[in-house]
Amino acid sequence: EVQLVESGGGLVQPGGSLRLSCAASGFTFSTYAMNWVRQAPGKGLEWVSYINSEGDATSYVGSVKGRFTISRDNAKNTLYLQLNGLNTEDTAMYYCVKDPFNGAVSSAGTQVTVSS
C-alpha cells in the first residue's frame, strides 16, 4: 500500500522559512518522479514543484521559483521542500504526490500558515 506522510508545516511570519518532508513507503520510491502540490483556503489544488527520480532535474511554478527548493534522499525514501521567503499567499495545505500528478491527492498533507 502506497503511503505518503508529510510533516514540517507550521505557523511562520512573512519572510520566514520552513522545511517540509514527505516519508514514502509501499512503493519503490527511487524509481518515481515526485511532486509537491498545495491547496490554499477556498481554492483548488495547485502544482508547486517536480523532481525526477534521480533528483537531478527539477521544476517550479513561477510564483515560488527562487524561493522554494525541492530535493530528495532516495536512501531514506524521503522527499523535501525547502520554503524560504514565505509570504501570506503561500498559506496552504501542502501535499506530496507521485508523478504523474492526476489532480487528486490521497495523503493528509501538512499545513503551512504564513501570518504576522
Side-chain angles (χ1 to χ4, degrees):
E1 178 190 358
V2 173
Q3 278 202 315
L4 297 166
V5 180
E6 302 91 346
S7 62
L11 174 63
V12 63
Q13 292 186 338
S17 297
L18 286 171
R19 190 193 196 199
L20 308 184
S21 298
C22 169
S25 61
F27 65 104
T28 308
F29 178 74
S30 62
T31 65
Y32 281 87
M34 297 291 295
N35 298 274
W36 284 99
V37 303
R38 66 185 179 183
Q39 187 167 27
K43 297 188 176 181
L45 287 167
E46 175 189 35
W47 171 80
V48 174
S49 183
Y50 161 94
I51 187 167
N52 70 347
S53 58
E54 295 85 3
D56 58 3
T58 60
S59 59
Y60 302 90
V61 67
S63 59
V64 310
K65 207 171 288 186
R67 300 189 297 122
F68 291 8
T69 303
I70 191 172
S71 62
R72 65 192 297 159
D73 186 335
N74 285 342
K76 295 183 178 179
N77 288 349
T78 303
L79 178 72
Y80 302 100
L81 188 67
Q82 178 69 40
L83 288 62
N84 296 330
L86 285 161
N87 59 58
T88 56
E89 294 178 349
D90 296 316
T91 294
M93 187 73 79
Y94 285 72
Y95 304 89
C96 58
V97 184
K98 288 171 61 183
D99 197 69
F101 172 49
N102 61 8
V105 297
S106 59
S107 53
T110 187
Q111 177 68 42
V112 172
T113 302
V114 185
S115 175
S116 55

